[in-house]
């Protein structure tokens, strides 16, 4: 692809078309899905946080549980598309080791992420190309767990050929360098080790840091607060 087609987007290019429910409804959704039971967070505290945060939360805020409390491996099976449960690919058993990189998370088990966007206009960019462009637009990439939280509230955000990467989560190797795998969430074709029974299921997988994919944008946010 010519470089001109990967001109850094301006802040105006990030316009999500997936409004989120009120924070109280998001809390109830997480409780209904069993997130407190699976992760040990307190359902009452989750409700209380959502109620308090709603007083001054920006419109379209996403309620998220800190990845230390609710790791990706616990959340991914709660995803659903047409009654197909989500899963983590077999060669990403270390999904929970992909930690926030260049992202400051608020203290506490719960926080809000604002202004989420799927990054469709950045399809066919590599993560290496996308990260500085997001930064220049005043945005930060989503964490893997944030992407899952978004889909738990709005499953329709994940569409065939319009899926997204979550490059705010990276795995640092023992020698200090980064693992070249970068997390992404898309829809399984039911091929290979996924298994035919998983065709159409939400899939937590990975792509190489320098590779481009026309069907993967880059999930991002304008910021977070506790």
């Amino acid at each position: 692809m010519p470089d001109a087609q990967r001109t850094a987007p301006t802040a105006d290019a990030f316009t999500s078309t997936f409004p989120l429910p009120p924070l109280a409804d998001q809390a109830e959704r997480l409780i209904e899905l069993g997130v407190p039971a699976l992760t040990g967070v307190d359902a009452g505290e989750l409700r209380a946080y959502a109620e308090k945060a709603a007083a001054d939360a920006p419109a379209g805020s996403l309620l998220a549980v800190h990845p230390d409390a609710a790791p990706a491996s616990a959340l991914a099976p709660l995803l659903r598309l047409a009654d197909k449960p989500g899963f983590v690919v077999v060669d990403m058993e270390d999904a929970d080791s992909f930690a926030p990189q260049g992202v400051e998370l608020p203290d506490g088990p719960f926080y809000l992420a604002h202004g989420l966007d799927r990054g469709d206009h950045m399809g066919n960019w590599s993560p290496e190309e996308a990260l500085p462009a997001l930064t220049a637009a005043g945005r930060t990439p989503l964490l893997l767990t944030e992407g899952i939280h978004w889909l738990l509230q709005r499953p329709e955000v994940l569409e065939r050929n319009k899926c997204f990467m979550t490059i705010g989560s990276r795995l640092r190797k023992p020698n200090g360098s980064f693992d070249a795998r970068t997390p992404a969430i898309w829809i399984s074709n039911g091929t290979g080790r996924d298994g035919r029974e998983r065709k159409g299921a939400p899939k937590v997988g990975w792509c190489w840091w320098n590779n481009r994919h026309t069907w993967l944008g880059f999930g991002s946010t304008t910021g977070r607060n506790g």
Side-chain angles (χ1 to χ4, degrees), residues 5-212:
Q5 292 182 253
R6 287 195 297 277
T7 301
T10 64
D12 293 339
F14 298 88
T15 53
S16 174
T17 57
F18 301 98
L20 283 160
L23 292 178
D25 292 349
Q26 292 186 45
E28 292 305 321
R29 171 69 173 161
L30 294 179
I31 292 167
E32 173 189 325
L33 289 170
V35 171
L38 283 171
T39 62
V41 301
D42 184 88
E45 290 181 3
L46 178 58
R47 285 191 178 104
Y49 175 83
E51 180 180 357
K52 182 177 180 180
D56 56 4
S61 294
L62 174 71
L63 174 61
V65 183
H66 195 289
D68 288 348
S73 63
L75 297 176
L78 303 178
L79 294 170
R80 290 289 186 281
L81 277 180
D83 294 327
K84 295 285 184 74
F87 67 100
V88 180
V89 294
V90 296
D91 52 355
M92 200 177 174
E93 293 179 344
D94 52 357
D96 295 343
S97 297
F98 284 72
Q101 175 61 34
V103 174
E104 293 292 332
L105 291 185
D107 294 331
F110 316 119
Y111 67 96
L112 304 181
H114 317 299
L116 276 66
D117 187 86
R118 195 169 60 183
D120 296 353
H121 55 290
M122 299 179 78
N124 215 28
W125 291 49
S126 71
E128 183 179 42
E129 294 163 336
L131 181 58
L134 292 172
T135 302
R139 304 183 65 87
T140 59
L142 289 183
L143 305 182
L144 174 56
T145 49
E146 292 170 346
I148 296 174
H149 274 293
W150 194 14
L151 297 175
L152 291 177
Q153 300 293 343
R154 294 294 307 268
E156 63 271 30
V157 170
L158 200 66
E159 300 180 78
R160 181 72 67 180
N161 297 321
K162 290 186 178 180
C163 304
F164 59 95
M165 301 192 71
T166 55
I167 63 173
S169 297
R170 300 291 307 276
L171 175 60
R172 194 176 288 278
K173 298 191 290 188
N175 65 5
S177 64
F178 285 112
D179 193 300
R181 294 173 297 163
T182 49
I185 310 173
W186 70 92
I187 300 173
S188 174
N189 287 324
T191 57
R193 289 181 290 180
D194 287 2
R196 285 181 294 177
E197 71 281 1
R198 283 177 164 162
K199 184 176 182 179
K203 172 179 177 176
V204 172
W206 57 269
C207 297
W208 298 118
W209 179 253
N210 290 304
N211 282 11
R212 302 171 182 156

